[in-house]
Amino acid sequence: MITIAVDAMGGDHAPRPEVEGSVLAARELSVRVLLVGQANPVRAELAKHSARNLPIEIIPASEVITMSDHPAQAFRRKKDSSVHVAARLVHEGRANGMISAGNTGAVMTAAKFILGTLESVDRVALAFPCCWTWERMWIPGPSICCSLP
């Protein structure tokens, strides 16, 4: 089963849409979800859904990176943010990937410095599911100057 770490505190109306989407993903796509964020608000939102037997776990993170936070400063100062913790879950092998609707710069910074990049890639890239399939639509940004073996 694929495990996805979800930044439950990242969106403008967090954690409502993140929890709602996670419940739907666990139910419809048979994925395991790690909801990363402030435990009490996430738990309260999760209680509003029929999620008792779904593979959803709450992973506590005490800090939130806001949209107004400077990405590099937030990465350095907010080590227990939901973005930071979600990236560490992927790095540790507890999740296969992470999703965040939060501060894009902070997500990119966490991905680059916690997860790293492939040797021939200079910049991380963003992807999102397209039409609920496993195909991905890529947002431009990765380096196109790659050396091939």
Side-chain angles (χ1 to χ4, degrees):
M1 179 178 284
I2 292 173
T3 301
I4 304 296
V6 176
D7 171 10
M9 308 310 291
D12 293 335
H13 304 287
R16 187 186 50 78
E18 289 78 5
V19 170
E20 186 177 331
S22 295
V23 169
L24 182 63
R27 186 177 292 129
E28 301 292 326
L29 301 176
S30 301
V31 296
R32 181 171 175 249
V33 178
L34 304 178
L35 281 168
V36 183
Q38 296 173 329
N40 289 337
V42 173
R43 190 176 298 111
E45 188 61 39
L46 191 57
K48 298 175 185 177
H49 302 274
S50 301
R52 185 173 302 264
N53 295 320
L54 293 176
I56 297 175
E57 180 182 349
I58 298 171
I59 306 294
S62 62
E63 297 175 296
V64 175
I65 295 177
T66 68
M67 296 298 187
S68 61
D69 284 335
H70 185 277
Q73 290 174 354
F75 176 77
R76 285 192 300 272
R77 294 180 182 153
K78 296 184 176 183
K79 301 285 187 187
D80 198 45
S81 69
S82 50
V83 171
H84 226 280
V85 173
R88 280 199 310 263
L89 291 169
V90 176
H91 180 74
E92 294 166 0
R94 293 178 58 195
N96 301 102
M98 67 179 275
I99 295 174
S100 178
N103 182 316
T104 304
V107 174
M108 299 287 279
T109 302
K112 179 159 179 134
F113 291 104
I114 295 175
L115 302 176
T117 61
L118 298 174
E119 187 176 315
S120 60
V121 176
D122 293 331
R123 289 180 244 154
V124 296
L126 298 174
F128 57 91
C130 183
C131 305
W132 291 106
T133 70
W134 290 111
E135 296 174 27
R136 301 286 182 249
M137 180 175 286
W138 297 94
I139 297 173
S143 173
I144 58 170
C145 298
C146 301
S147 58
L148 299 174

